[in-house]
Amino acid sequence: MIPVWVYFIAAGIVFCAIMAIKTGRDERREENEMIEREGEVYMQRLEEKKEEKKEEKKAGERSFG
């Protein structure tokens, strides 16, 4: 007959494995969300720079025209 404490140890190992998998998924999801937000900020900055260059080009053409 197997002692009861062996069942508790096995259950603890299974519980820890499940929690490790769950935590890993949550961390990956948070990391992906953070990367996506940073990407959106980067794209906004690129658009702003593009608009600034466009405005500078228009201003330059006006001064020569």
Side-chain angles (χ1 to χ4, degrees), residues 14-27:
V14 170
F15 178 74
C16 287
I18 291 170
M19 293 306 293
I21 291 169
K22 181 180 180 286
T23 302
R25 284 182 186 164
D26 292 343
E27 287 178 355

Side-chain angles (χ1 to χ4, degrees), residues 1 3 5-7 13 26 29 34 44-45 49 51 53 55 58 65:
M1 185 164 158
W5 63 269
V6 174
Y7 292 116
I13 291 170
D26 292 343
R29 186 177 304 124
M34 185 177 67
Q44 287 175 350
R45 287 183 184 163
K49 292 287 184 183
E51 290 296 321
K53 286 184 179 182
E55 292 297 322
K58 283 183 181 179

Side-chain angles (χ1 to χ4, degrees), residues 17-64:
I18 291 170
M19 293 306 293
I21 291 169
K22 181 180 180 286
T23 302
R25 284 182 186 164
D26 292 343
E27 287 178 355
R28 256 183 265 118
R29 186 177 304 124
E30 286 179 21
E31 191 172 306
N32 286 337
E33 288 173 359
M34 185 177 67
I35 290 170
E36 189 173 320
R37 283 192 304 265
E38 289 177 357
E40 289 174 2
V41 169
Y42 179 72
M43 293 304 291
Q44 287 175 350
R45 287 183 184 163
L46 285 178
E47 286 295 321
E48 289 172 3
K49 292 287 184 183
K50 189 176 179 180
E51 290 296 321
E52 286 176 11
K53 286 184 179 182
K54 190 184 287 186
E55 292 297 322
E56 288 176 4
K57 186 176 180 182
K58 283 183 181 179
E61 289 175 356
R62 287 184 211 150
S63 64
F64 289 118

